[in-house]
Amino acid sequence: GNTTKVHSLGRWVTQQRTKHKLGLLPAVRVAELSQLGFIWDHHGAEWEANFRQLILYRQRHGHCAVSVARAGESGRRFALWVNNQRSMARDS
């Protein structure tokens, strides 16, 4: 079914990223995927998206103290990301 197709696509995407990182993906494939807007660094892209969201949050609220308790289900991931960034900064 669709779940199987999604999982297969996910595995394929991961394989392309791994091959690219190891320098094993032919340049023509890199160019084709890049032209489609393929995200090579998923974690970096997710970090950037959360950072942009934090900028908007600060503009609206005047601070960056995002509360996990008040985030609601839709904002919980973002609030956890903010808290993780804060924890990593303290630990470094």
Side-chain angles (χ1 to χ4, degrees):
N2 282 344
T3 303
T4 303
K5 289 178 184 178
V6 169
H7 287 259
S8 294
L9 179 60
R11 277 192 298 278
W12 181 83
V13 166
T14 299
Q15 289 170 350
Q16 303 315 297
R17 288 180 177 142
T18 301
K19 287 178 183 179
H20 181 258
K21 190 174 186 177
L22 296 173
L24 301 174
L25 194 62
V28 66
R29 297 287 183 239
V30 173
E32 289 171 337
L33 290 168
S34 293
Q35 192 172 36
L36 288 175
F38 191 85
I39 297 172
W40 295 106
D41 180 4
H42 171 70
H43 297 293
E46 186 176 0
W47 191 95
E48 289 294 330
N50 281 317
F51 182 69
R52 286 191 301 273
Q53 189 174 347
L54 183 59
I55 290 170
L56 294 173
Y57 183 93
R58 186 171 189 271
Q59 288 172 346
R60 286 188 198 126
H61 301 280
H63 60 80
C64 294
V66 181
S67 169
V68 175
R70 288 195 254 150
E73 194 58 40
S74 62
R76 183 170 168 74
R77 247 182 110 140
F78 168 65
L80 289 170
W81 178 85
V82 172
N83 286 341
N84 286 339
Q85 301 309 303
R86 194 175 290 114
S87 293
M88 287 188 294
R90 267 195 309 263
D91 294 345
S92 61

